Amino acid sequence: MLSLGVDSSLFCRGNIGGILSPRLPSPKKLIISRGSPYQNLGAVLPTQNASSAISRCISTEGQGVYGSPTMIWPENGEDPFVQAGLRQESMPKHVAAILDGNRRWAEAHGKDLDYSLFCQGYMSLAHLCIKWGVSTLSCFMFSTENWKRSKEANDLLFGQFQKYLEQSLEVFMSKGIKVTIIGEKTRLPKDLQEVIKKVEEETKINSTLELNFAVSYGGKWDIVQAIRSISRKAKAGEIGLQDVDGTLMDQQLSTNGLGVPDPDMMIRTGGDQRVSNFLMWQMPHTEFYFTDVYGPDFREPHFIDALRRFQQSDRRFGE
Amino acid sequence: MQLVLLGGSISRASVMTESRDNENSLIRRVASFARKCLFGILSVGPIPNHIAFIMDGNRRYAKKNNLEEGAGHKLGFTALMSMLRYCYELNVKYVTIYAFSIDNFKRRPEEVQSLMELIREKIEGLIKEESIVNQYGVRVHFVGDLKLLDESVRLAAKRAMVATSKNSKAVLSICIAYTSTNEIMNAVKQSCEEKWEEHKKLGSCGTTNGLIDYAEKVGRKGNNFIGLSDIERHLYTRVTPPPDILVRTSGETRLSNFLLWQSASSLLYSPSVLWPEIGLRHLVWAILNFQRNHSYFEKKRKQV
């Protein structure tokens, strides 16, 4: 019987940052979403039954997880999507994520706040997206409101994010991950800006996954900077007031460079059920998935549950 | 003789009806008292200032109960009146509801037509003396691109806004022909027009040094002259603060282009119940969740 954390095939083996962390219980209920197979199990951790059900569709030795642009099929030929209760044709194309709860996780485990776990969390989510066929992942690293935090905490985050980017460049290239950073980059430390420029430049040829980090980003900021860009164009006589519409706004927003700018689904861990000024214009019809699980504890079964929840929802777009 | 018997049975029936009415009235009074006690207890903690509702699930409710089309929406209106009553009894000052989205115009024309007819009828009902808005001193605002509505609905909306303009205890914002992206675009256009007018005036002003200096200052800031406050000033919902809680029924957890700008920090609550089935217990649960998160959220806001 395979269980979370003990069976490393549930993670991407050899993943950057050492995802093979010891299994630590989340103090909150595992998954609170409607229709979740875990809802009735009442366990704090995924049960043996749930874990083994998921593990049946996961390749046992992690072979081929890296470097392959196609989906991985289990050796016994079973369709992993069918095993996971998912429809391959209805996977979300763009997933947004806020892996919240790092501070509370650290307090619960008597550790110092470590943002490298935050970065690793997004990295493992990126691997899960590649595995399950999601083409864009947007990660909320640092919001415009977070500037109110202490300089020490911010410097710690920026330092660890910079280190993570530098160390992960090889993985980005081998996995075909194109990294983009959106946000008010000019406010960031100069070193971090240099590293961001370098990583964006080197990974721009990749196409397996668009990994989009929102750093010093706010949904309102994005709309205001788009409007200023429109004003500049209008002032220069390139456009008139009658040209100002939704399509023009889409083109001026930070997410314009992404293949699919609007997220289909947003995952937020940590129990807080809010959008917190993340992508605002881009999320009119985004399905939200909230879970009490803390960010560092978010694993593949949770992700599959979020995907299942997404596929169960009836997206009518107003009709 | 038969007339006497008929008279007797009619008077017996009227006595029975009267006693049933008395019973119902007693039950209503007891329920109201119980609710007051419950709300008194809830009010010990923080009460949200503004609750927004996405009233989803009317059509599914009608289908589930084999009702005719349109019946779900009528029952949904009854549920809305109850929820408004509870909110105003609880001293929630602002309530916003998502009555009709611009995206809803994509539905079948017959459905849109019957919805518009229902909306017009209910707006007329709101203006009446005995309606809930007058009972609780509620000022009504219609929020959205009202030009997209039929003239009869638009006029009814204008009449309702004028009729309730003197009310000041609470505010009801009804979002009709509304989407958040449309609202933001409208705010953008108005902000741009305003700034360009300002620029033109400065450009055509006299040539005293003071004015030229000022014009240059604005010109230097010119690339960055539209700000957050300019947008917020031109939003349709500028009369209300951001929602504390945003409730969407029927279990779907998405905003459907509702208050995207304003709900950046709102607590999202998605009970799986369909809108016509929503009751006091859901509102109480939403408020308890709000109170539970309130101190943590305030702490995080200061820390963040």
Side-chain angles (χ1 to χ4, degrees), chain B:
Chain B
M1 182 67 173
Q2 280 166 331
L3 276 172
V4 167
L5 281 173
L6 185 62
S9 61
I10 287 171
S11 67
R12 254 200 310 278
S14 67
V15 162
M16 279 172 62
T17 316
E18 205 183 295
S19 76
R20 224 178 299 141
D21 283 344
N22 287 340
E23 237 177 72
N24 287 339
S25 159
L26 179 65
I27 290 172
R28 268 200 298 275
R29 284 207 295 267
V30 167
S32 172
F33 179 72
R35 221 169 37 236
K36 276 201 179 81
C37 293
L38 174 63
F39 290 166
I41 296 168
L42 271 181
S43 302
V44 169
I47 293 292
N49 193 31
H50 182 180
I51 303 182
F53 293 98
I54 301 180
M55 307 180 290
D56 197 13
N58 297 305
R59 289 184 298 177
R60 268 169 285 172
Y61 181 82
K63 204 169 165 188
K64 190 171 110 174
N65 295 287
N66 296 318
L67 301 170
E68 60 173 21
E69 207 176 288
H73 292 286
K74 291 195 173 99
L75 290 165
F77 181 78
T78 314
L80 171 64
M81 289 298 114
S82 308
M83 291 308 282
L84 287 179
R85 189 178 300 280
Y86 302 147
C87 286
Y88 296 132
E89 281 177 7
L90 204 44
N91 290 322
V92 174
K93 182 135 194 248
Y94 298 93
V95 176
T96 302
I97 60 171
Y98 202 9
F100 195 86
S101 156
I102 294 177
D103 293 328
N104 294 154
F105 280 116
K106 290 186 249 173
R107 292 184 182 178
R108 286 177 305 114
E110 306 83 46
E111 190 183 337
V112 172
Q113 187 58 31
S114 83
L115 266 173
M116 285 291 134
E117 191 41 52
L118 177 70
I119 289 172
R120 192 196 55 76
E121 187 192 311
K122 297 306 176 190
I123 294 173
E124 304 282 1
L126 281 180
I127 307 173
K128 295 201 176 102
E129 192 57 43
E130 64 277 12
S131 78
I132 190 174
V133 296
N134 288 321
Q135 211 183 338
Y136 290 97
V138 181
R139 183 167 178 182
V140 178
H141 286 280
F142 284 89
V143 164
D145 196 353
L146 304 183
K147 296 191 298 294
L148 296 174
L149 297 170
D150 285 343
E151 194 166 338
S152 57
V153 182
R154 196 169 53 247
L155 289 174
K158 281 207 170 97
R159 275 200 301 276
M161 285 196 275
V162 165
T164 58
S165 57
K166 298 269 184 321
N167 295 341
S168 58
K169 291 209 183 110
V171 174
L172 172 63
S173 297
I174 301 177
C175 291
I176 184 166
Y178 172 91
T179 54
S180 204
T181 43
N182 172 275
E183 180 186 26
I184 294 171
M185 282 321 300
N186 179 66
V188 165
K189 283 185 184 155
Q190 289 194 357
S191 307
C192 284
E193 268 175 20
E194 190 186 67
K195 289 293 177 184
W196 291 341
E197 283 304 318
E198 257 179 44
H199 245 252
K200 263 195 257 176
K201 275 190 198 145
L202 282 169
S204 63
C205 267
T207 54
T208 57
N209 284 338
L211 277 169
I212 288 175
D213 287 338
Y214 180 68
E216 277 175 355
K217 251 190 232 159
V218 170
R220 248 201 309 278
K221 270 170 53 182
N223 285 335
N224 297 318
F225 58 17
I226 292 186
L228 216 74
S229 54
D230 296 306
I231 306 297
E232 288 182 339
R233 256 184 322 110
H234 291 107
L235 291 173
Y236 295 139
T237 49
R238 58 186 173 273
V239 294
T240 55
D244 296 299
I245 310 177
L246 200 154
V247 181
R248 183 187 181 129
T249 50
S250 82
E252 307 287 0
T253 46
R254 54 179 181 260
L255 293 173
S256 291
N257 220 335
F258 181 55
L259 302 182
L260 297 175
W261 181 280
Q262 299 83 340
S263 64
S265 306
S266 307
L267 182 68
L268 305 177
Y269 173 57
S270 321
S272 54
V273 72
L274 300 173
W275 177 257
E277 297 168 330
I278 196 170
L280 179 60
R281 66 191 185 285
H282 303 103
L283 181 65
V284 168
W285 188 242
I287 291 174
L288 285 174
N289 266 323
F290 168 77
Q291 292 181 340
R292 192 164 64 98
N293 282 303
H294 186 73
S295 54
Y296 167 71
F297 181 60
E298 288 296 303
K299 190 174 108 185
K300 195 171 170 182
R301 213 159 48 91
K302 292 189 180 106
Q303 203 176 56
V304 144

